Each structure stands twice: as structure tokens, then as C-alpha cells.
Amino acid sequence: MSVENARKTIINLVSAGITRFNLAGGEPTIHPNFVEICKYIHDLGCSCSVITNGSRLSEDFVERVGPYLDTIGISIDSFDYASSIRLGRFTGSVRCPKYFGFDELYALIPQIRSYEIRLKVNTVISRINCGEIMADRIRVLGVDRWKIIRMFPYRVEGNSNLDLLPTDEEYHSFVERNSYEHSVIESDMRNSYLLIDPDGNLLENSNT
């Protein structure tokens, strides 16, 4: 989305009464004007948050965008290195992957908190990570909101993720083992957000 189209879309939404914006993707922080868009939302008096995989989070990045964010949401499906690689939670190459996990996030916590930014972690449960205990490290990080999301199944043109789909027992067992005072159990993401695509169009997701 161009900056011009982003501004038009934001203004249209604000005119319709929207006051909270959550920038997601894909990976929204790769947008060349990401900081500018966050500032535009903030300067309109609206709440601005981001969902990121953490691949571009750094002290410099937090310094540039920190004044304009209310919440940083980070997608972390596992604190185990090998499981994260299997889940595709890495950048770089397969031979030399770069991983954003507990240590990387923990190092940025003081700076994130210096801007009074709320910290959220999103975790999608699959058969790869359903046996883990993550709550202890979530607690150390001081996460304000831990959203535990059940993996959504898909089958499109012969491709599917059904082999990774946890059973009801596996999913509920993860939830029971990972009790956390600020956790939110999200079994169904439909109707959770008003979705806007990169062209500024409203998407309908109640049946998908």
C-alpha cells in the first residue's frame, strides 16, 4: 500500500468511527514507510499497534517507532529453536537461519517498556509445539497479553496443513499446562477484526 493510499484509508476509517489500528501482514515492518504510517495514525489521536514476527526488531527500530505505538504484538509459536525452524519462524537461509525468540525479545524489553508500550505475544498451536510449556518464559517476559490461537486448517488446490493440525485433546492439554493470568484463548479468529487489504478494500472473513 502506498503512503497516499494508506492515509486515505486511515482517514476513511477514522471518519467511520474507528479509533484503533492494528498493522499486520505478512510482515508489516518491511513496508518502507512503516514508521511514517504509524506516526500518521498516532498524530490523529488513534491507537496504533503492530503484529510482527520480530525479524526486524532492534534497538534502532524500537527507537524510531516507539513513540507512536501502544502495543507490540509478536508472533512466537515456540521457545524451542528446532521447533521454530520446523515451523518456518526464521529469516535468512535454511543453512544459516536467524531466529527471534526468548533471548532476543528479553534483551529489548527495557527499551520497549521505556516507551510504555504494551507487549503481546501470539502463539499458534500445532502438532509441532503442542507439547511445550511456554508459560514460565512468558511470565518472565512480563507479557501483558498472551493470545493462544488454535491453528486454522486449510486445503487449497491439493495443498493442506492438516498433518500439523492438533487434536482437541492436544490443544486443550497445551492450554491447561500453560496457565497464565493474562492469557486469551482464541479458538476461532473469525469476526475478530475489521480487515483491510493492501489496496484499502474491506475484507469479509466471517465464513473463512
Side-chain angles (χ1 to χ4, degrees), residues 5 17 21 93 135:
N5 197 19
F21 290 81
S93 66

Side-chain angles (χ1 to χ4, degrees), residues 3 13 29 59-60 79 81 89 91 98 112 120-121 153 181 186 204:
V3 173
L13 290 168
T29 62
E59 290 185 0
D60 175 69
F79 287 128
Y81 178 82
R89 288 293 187 191
T91 57
K98 296 179 181 179
I112 290 172
K120 180 172 74 170
V121 170
E181 52 270 28
E186 194 82 69
E204 200 277 330

Side-chain angles (χ1 to χ4, degrees), residues 144-163:
D144 297 297
R145 182 180 173 92
W146 184 25
K147 184 175 285 190
I148 301 174
I149 306 166
R150 186 165 188 169
M151 194 186 89
F152 189 80
Y154 73 85
R155 183 185 288 116
V156 180
E157 297 179 355
N159 297 309
S160 80
N161 64 354
L162 299 183
D163 59 322

Side-chain angles (χ1 to χ4, degrees), residues 173-206:
S173 178
F174 179 93
V175 171
E176 290 175 4
R177 288 195 316 274
N178 286 275
S179 175
Y180 181 62
E181 52 270 28
H182 303 301
S183 64
V184 176
I185 311 306
E186 194 82 69
S187 298
D188 191 343
M189 292 290 287
R190 289 177 294 185
N191 296 319
S192 297
Y193 296 92
L194 185 67
L195 300 180
I196 308 296
D197 76 4
D199 294 317
N201 298 314
L202 178 65
L203 298 179
E204 200 277 330
N205 76 328
S206 61

